[in-house]
Amino acid sequence: MKAVILAGGKGTRLRPLTLSMPKPLVPLAGKPLVRHIIDSLPAEVDEVLLAVNYMKGRLQEYFETAELPVKVRLVEENRPLGTGGALKNLREHIDGTFLAFNGDIVSSLDVSEMLRQHRSRGGIGTIALWRVEDPSAYGVAALDGHRITSFQEKPPPGEELSDLINAGVYVFEPEVLEHIPDGVVSLEKEVFPRILDLGMNGHLFEGHWVDCGTRSSYLEAQNVLLRAAGPEENVFCEGAQVSSGAQLEDCAVLSRAEVAPGAVLRRTIVCPGAKVGAGQKVYDKIYR
Ligand code: GDD
Ligand code: MG
């Protein structure tokens, strides 16, 4: 089975981190964002198709040297084709039921369970759904039982039909590709509303879910993952130098970063190579 990861966005909402690296490689709780998805794939996935544009070279470098649990193929679009166009661009590699992921999601979703549910219910696709208080910044699905009856991409506040959002993980039958026109296409705006009649089901799950695509949600994801990991509060990447005389709480210190004695850091990410001086206090920041 193939798993597509949509990873061609520029990551503008995550600048400055994404000025020097593509969003899939932004470090999160000790490993690149995209590895959280790759490491959560069911064993039946034999190849990951990574749909890329922005900073393809950096991604190539990473995947050539990283030790991976599954084969990863990078497929470039000649220009960004949108979430639907990117899928269509992969059609020659897709040979059956497949998974697709927004590349900026971390969650506790059990993908095998979602697949099992998709197969037992049938239909052309299944969308993972997550309940939120304010759904207006996301894709919103209205359900009748487990069938999705309506899909709104980023509806104006107050017009949301439910509090269930598109969690950015899909199981699709290959026929979905026949409903994506050529060119730049949004899966959410143009394709979903058209294929609802062919049987689109919602798969609700619990635990945690974060779209790491903005600065504040990236910090939140860091916290969520640290909490999920248990009592160990801080994450130190390889090459980070943290003085034993520094106090850190819910922090991530990335590669080659340094924290001097007496520094006090809370809920902060110290970027690669950054130096926090002696006695400095840093709270709730991405520190460069
Ligand atoms: N290959 C490729 N080409 N990938 C793309 C392109 C493109 O042209 N455009 C976007 N992507 C990738 C992004 O890199 C990201 O991983 C994913 O597609 C989703 O794009 P975002 O730009 O992050 O969309 P969003 O967060 O505003 O909304 C989407 O995610 C929400 C959940 O986080 C939608 O799918 C919403 O419906 C959903 O609720
Ligand atoms: Mg996003």
Side-chain angles (χ1 to χ4, degrees):
M1 169 181 283
K2 305 288 187 264
V4 174
I5 303 181
L6 296 168
K10 279 197 173 166
T12 47
R13 292 168 291 179
L14 212 48
R15 284 177 185 166
L17 285 174
T18 46
L19 291 175
S20 57
M21 64 183 101
K23 188 158 70 168
L25 295 186
V26 163
L28 188 69
K31 57 185 177 185
L33 172 50
V34 70
R35 280 302 292 271
H36 289 269
I37 298 177
I38 293 175
D39 293 345
S40 77
L41 294 172
E44 64 187 289
V45 171
D46 55 15
E47 185 175 33
V48 173
L49 303 168
L50 200 69
V52 299
N53 296 293
Y54 183 63
M55 290 200 193
K56 186 194 172 205
R58 289 293 299 272
L59 286 157
Q60 234 156 4
E61 256 168 50
Y62 172 76
F63 283 107
E64 271 162 20
T65 50
E67 270 180 43
L68 299 159
V70 60
K71 191 168 119 194
V72 177
R73 185 199 293 261
L74 268 64
V75 184
E76 194 177 11
E77 295 144 40
N78 48 21
R79 64 192 159 121
L81 292 172
T83 45
L87 277 190
K88 178 99 178 187
N89 190 51
L90 296 170
R91 61 189 173 281
E92 65 183 275
H93 303 291
I94 285 169
D95 48 9
T97 306
F98 65 102
L99 302 169
F101 295 79
N102 284 351
D104 54 2
I105 297 301
V106 290
S107 81
S108 56
L109 173 70
D110 179 342
V111 183
S112 302
E113 172 59 20
M114 178 171 171
L115 256 170
R116 197 195 55 71
Q117 216 182 49
H118 171 81
R119 288 178 173 135
S120 80
R121 289 172 174 170
I124 197 168
T126 298
I127 302 183
L129 299 178
W130 176 253
R131 205 177 290 280
V132 293
E133 267 172 33
D134 176 9
S136 63
Y138 303 101
V140 179
L143 286 183
D144 179 8
H146 51 73
R147 278 290 286 268
I148 299 177
T149 52
S150 176
F151 190 92
Q152 313 163 285
E153 182 63 16
K154 309 202 174 93
E159 290 181 23
E160 307 92 351
L161 293 173
S162 85
D163 59 357
L164 296 174
I165 63 155
N166 169 17
V169 183
Y170 317 106
V171 184
F172 289 130
E173 294 305 319
E175 291 76 45
V176 160
L177 301 174
E178 295 163 18
H179 299 274
I180 306 178
D182 289 331
V184 180
V185 182
S186 159
L187 189 63
E188 299 87 342
K189 289 187 194 150
E190 297 164 69
V191 183
F192 287 161
R194 284 193 223 160
I195 60 173
L196 291 182
D197 290 345
L198 303 171
M200 289 288 284
N201 292 306
H203 172 80
L204 274 119
F205 67 100
E206 286 180 356
H208 61 262
W209 177 90
V210 191
D211 174 337
C212 313
T214 69
R215 285 201 207 194
S216 60
S217 64
Y218 173 60
L219 287 170
E220 186 195 335
Q222 200 78 251
N223 276 327
V224 164
L225 287 174
L226 295 178
R227 253 182 269 128
E232 182 68 50
E233 289 182 330
N234 301 305
V235 172
F236 304 133
C237 288
E238 224 174 291
Q241 290 179 43
V242 180
S243 157
S244 56
Q247 291 177 42
L248 282 79
E249 216 180 277
D250 279 337
C251 292
V253 183
L254 307 184
S255 53
R256 304 180 324 279
E258 293 175 26
V259 182
V264 181
L265 278 69
R266 302 220 165 96
R267 299 167 300 277
T268 284
I269 295 160
V270 186
C271 289
K275 293 184 174 51
V276 183
Q280 228 174 308
K281 294 190 168 48
V282 188
Y283 300 147
D284 299 296
K285 277 223 171 68
I286 296 182
Y287 186 91
R288 286 194 284 156

